[in-house]
Amino acid sequence: MTTTLFERLGGIAGISSLVDDTVAAHMANPAINARFLPYKDQPERLALIKKHTVEFFTMGSGGPANYSGRDMVTAHTGMNVSPSEYMHAMDDIFLALDKNNISEESKKDVLAILWSLKGMIISK
């Protein structure tokens, strides 16, 4: 029987760990950290962003969560994320996947999801 991406990512606990590791990587990445470091002074806002991200990837990977955040276009409108910034963010996500020993098959599935979202995020 085939497992869902949600299961292969470790369920809600695994996705939560991936989100925490990704945000930490974003904050340490000089190419994009200016977008994330201000949230260190806004812990409630950062917690909400992480919650929405966990929900989004839980639902999008075949898990049970209901996503309570905004759609991708609305969430990123006005941010004017460049293609380069998006690629740096993807690199950070893959660092988190590696740190959490996620399989190559699952990484390919995550890449497909991230690639499908780029038009909703870049230059909005």
Side-chain angles (χ1 to χ4, degrees):
M1 183 176 214
T2 305
T3 58
T4 64
L5 179 58
F6 171 75
E7 293 166 318
R8 288 181 277 136
L9 294 176
I12 291 173
I15 291 172
S16 294
S17 180
L18 289 167
V19 169
D20 287 342
D21 291 343
T22 297
V23 170
H26 289 347
M27 289 189 177
N29 185 336
I32 60 172
N33 66 1
R35 293 190 179 272
F36 294 91
L37 287 174
Y39 293 115
K40 281 189 168 186
D41 296 329
Q42 303 173 43
E44 298 85 13
R45 179 78 177 126
L46 180 58
L48 183 62
I49 290 168
K50 286 182 175 184
K51 174 184 178 286
H52 287 158
T53 305
V54 169
E55 289 174 355
F56 184 83
F57 278 101
T58 296
M59 190 176 75
S61 64
N66 291 316
Y67 177 58
S68 62
R70 297 177 290 173
D71 65 85
M72 290 297 102
V73 172
T74 302
H76 294 89
T77 294
M79 293 179 68
N80 199 28
V81 175
S82 72
S84 174
E85 288 174 311
Y86 192 75
M87 293 306 292
H88 282 286
M90 285 180 56
D91 288 345
D92 290 345
I93 293 167
F94 277 85
L95 289 172
L97 292 167
D98 287 340
K99 180 178 179 184
N100 287 273
N101 301 310
I102 301 301
S103 72
E104 291 301 316
E105 174 190 2
S106 298
K107 285 192 251 183
K108 288 176 186 175
D109 291 342
V110 170
L111 177 61
I113 292 168
L114 294 173
W115 206 250
S116 75
L117 297 172
K118 71 181 178 77
M120 294 179 245
I121 296 172
I122 293 174
S123 301
K124 298 296 174 200

